[in-house]
Amino acid sequence: SGTPRTSRTMESAAYARLYPREAYEKTLASGARGDGRPLGRARARTCATGVASGALGSALAKHGATTACAGVTATIATPDATRPEEGFLEIAVDYAPQASEDARDGRTRGRREAAAAACASAVANAAVLGKDLKQLCVERGTFAWRVRVDVIVLCDDGGAADCAVTAVMAALRDCVLPEVAVTRGKVALEGDGTAMNGDGVRKGTRLDVQTMPVCLTTALYREHLLVDPTREEEALSECEVSVVLTEDGLLRGVFKPGGEVEATEDTLMKCIAAAKLHYAASAKVVLEATEDEE
């Protein structure tokens, strides 16, 4: 037979599994959350770049246990006739089969689609490569770069959209486009964006990333606001609000992926305030991961 401590731990785990809301309310009554954080504290965030050797830019981001990997690829395309001096920027988010226990049976499809949409919209609304995409133009009306960022959520322990945005921004700041030569209407790439010069710097043109969007999700549980919720907290919450801000303090997006109740104006304002409070620390993670690339 097990020790008394082990028995109590097993009993607590069984109770939490059978009565998750009651167990969580007891945890909140103690003044802390299941992982020991205060209600208003986000999880630790880390980021590393250059994790995929075959990509033009790549990054691995972690928010607590939630993990996302982003890789940048680019191809030469024909510009849109209505925007002959602009290129294209595409964001795609997918989930690995092992991302969460629910991912394999499709129960989280709606939540996953909402996270993917929030990430793509956040990057677009923040105009990370400028209000237009003229820096992706190779030759007006003829050739332009089509830049694509593919994000894979490797582990979804809550706040997947937040983590995906971190990975996307770090990967874009890590991205170097190959040099391009246009001769007699034909385009040729000089290198692949991964070759180094004599100083150990990658040859090519670094993307001019002009803004730094950060996404922070807050969940509402009864009268409690839980900053950066875990997957367990998301499952118990009545609604979630994801807020996207940039360094100028501008609100670049507010997303509410479903939920049992509507977020009141007071709740939205508190979620925005939480995002502003955590912005500097969240942005610092990306900036420090890419500072050697500048």
Side-chain angles (χ1 to χ4, degrees):
S1 61
T3 65
R5 182 187 296 273
T6 301
S7 298
R8 287 195 298 269
T9 300
M10 293 178 63
E11 289 174 2
S12 298
Y15 181 80
R17 194 171 186 83
L18 292 172
Y19 308 103
R21 292 188 181 277
E22 292 82 351
Y24 196 69
E25 287 176 6
K26 287 186 176 181
T27 300
L28 289 179
S30 68
R33 295 154 72 173
D35 56 9
R37 286 181 292 152
L39 302 186
R41 181 179 297 173
R43 292 170 293 180
R45 299 187 174 197
T46 60
C47 186
T49 57
V51 296
S53 59
L56 299 177
S58 60
L60 181 72
K62 293 193 71 174
H63 294 188
T66 299
T67 308
C69 184
V72 183
T73 55
T75 56
I76 297 294
T78 302
D80 190 306
T82 62
R83 298 179 177 177
E85 297 181 341
E86 299 182 20
F88 308 90
L89 175 61
E90 302 171 348
I91 310 293
V93 182
D94 201 358
Y95 282 62
Q98 74 278 8
S100 69
E101 293 179 1
D102 297 333
R104 290 184 291 272
D105 58 17
R107 284 183 289 171
T108 59
R109 181 176 179 181
R111 186 182 298 276
R112 293 162 60 187
E113 290 176 349
C119 178
S121 297
V123 174
N125 294 345
V128 296
L129 299 183
K131 294 182 179 179
D132 52 46
L133 295 174
K134 289 185 178 180
Q135 65 172 289
L136 299 181
C137 178
V138 176
E139 185 173 87
R140 187 182 189 279
T142 307
F143 300 116
W145 283 109
R146 183 184 298 276
V147 174
R148 178 182 172 95
V149 187
D150 285 286
V151 186
I152 299 293
V153 177
L154 301 174
C155 177
D156 180 9
D157 189 36
D162 305 357
C163 192
V165 170
T166 297
V168 168
M169 291 311 303
L172 286 173
R173 289 174 61 86
D174 183 56
C175 179
V176 173
L177 295 176
E179 295 289 352
V180 178
V182 178
T183 306
R184 296 179 182 178
K186 294 185 179 180
V187 63
L189 302 184
E190 300 178 355
D192 59 2
T194 62
M196 300 287 187
N197 62 21
D199 298 324
V201 178
R202 281 184 288 168
K203 298 178 181 179
T205 303
R206 184 168 296 281
L207 288 180
D208 179 15
V209 179
Q210 300 181 16
T211 64
M212 175 59 68
V214 166
C215 185
L216 181 71
T217 297
T218 300
L220 174 65
Y221 179 76
R222 303 291 174 91
E223 72 278 11
H224 304 287
L225 285 175
L226 311 176
V227 170
D228 188 16
T230 63
R231 187 170 63 87
E232 177 188 9
E233 291 172 336
E234 286 181 343
L236 294 173
S237 69
E238 296 157 12
C239 76
E240 301 154 41
V241 177
S242 298
V243 176
V244 180
L245 294 172
T246 43
E247 61 271 38
D248 50 14
L250 291 180
L251 186 64
R252 301 290 185 162
V254 177
F255 308 96
K256 182 181 177 299
E260 300 174 5
V261 301
E262 290 295 325
T264 64
E265 182 177 350
D266 180 63
T267 296
L268 289 175
M269 294 305 295
K270 289 180 179 178
C271 293
I272 293 171
K276 290 182 176 180
L277 181 65
H278 288 84
Y279 177 85
S282 299
K284 183 180 179 182
V285 171
V286 176
L287 295 175
E288 290 186 343
T290 57
E291 62 183 358
D292 293 338
E293 303 291 340
E294 298 301 310

